[in-house]
């Protein structure tokens, strides 16, 4: 009684087909396949991203200005 035989699976499959119909299930599987293909394409696009161009050196931010000369620093 604890295991499911082939007849149990056939009955479950028949009920699912009656409830959802063959058209809805095939549409659902098509949508799943499109989603998987889109995911794989997105993962492949991430791997092929080019490195950023290094045409000009990075500029320092205003709050990261060069250190003040030693004469302007206060002694502690």
């Amino acid at each position: 009684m604890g295991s499911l035989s082939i007849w149990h699976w056939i009955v479950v499959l028949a009920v699912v087909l009656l409830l959802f119909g063959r058209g809805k299930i095939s549409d659902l599987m098509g949508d799943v396949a499109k989603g998987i293909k889109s995911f794989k394409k997105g993962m492949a696009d991430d791997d092929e991203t080019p490195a950023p161009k290094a045409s000009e050196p990075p500029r320092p931010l205003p709050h990261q200005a060069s250190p003040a000369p030693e004469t302007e620093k206060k002694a502690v």
Side-chain angles (χ1 to χ4, degrees):
M1 171 138 170
S3 65
L4 296 176
S5 69
I6 188 71
W7 295 109
H8 290 109
W9 289 112
I10 291 174
V11 170
V12 169
L13 183 63
V15 169
V16 168
L17 285 176
L18 287 174
L19 290 176
F20 295 109
R22 290 175 56 185
K24 291 182 183 177
I25 292 176
S26 64
D27 290 344
L28 179 67
M29 289 294 116
D31 291 341
V32 169
K34 287 179 185 177
I36 292 172
K37 287 179 184 177
S38 176
F39 177 76
K40 286 182 179 180
K41 182 180 178 185
M43 293 300 289
D45 289 345
D46 287 345
D47 293 341
E48 297 175 0
T49 55
K53 295 180 182 178
S55 59
E56 65 181 58
R59 298 179 299 190
L61 296 175
H63 69 276
Q64 292 180 344
S66 61
E70 294 293 324
T71 58
E72 296 179 12
K73 291 184 178 179
K74 293 184 179 179
V76 178

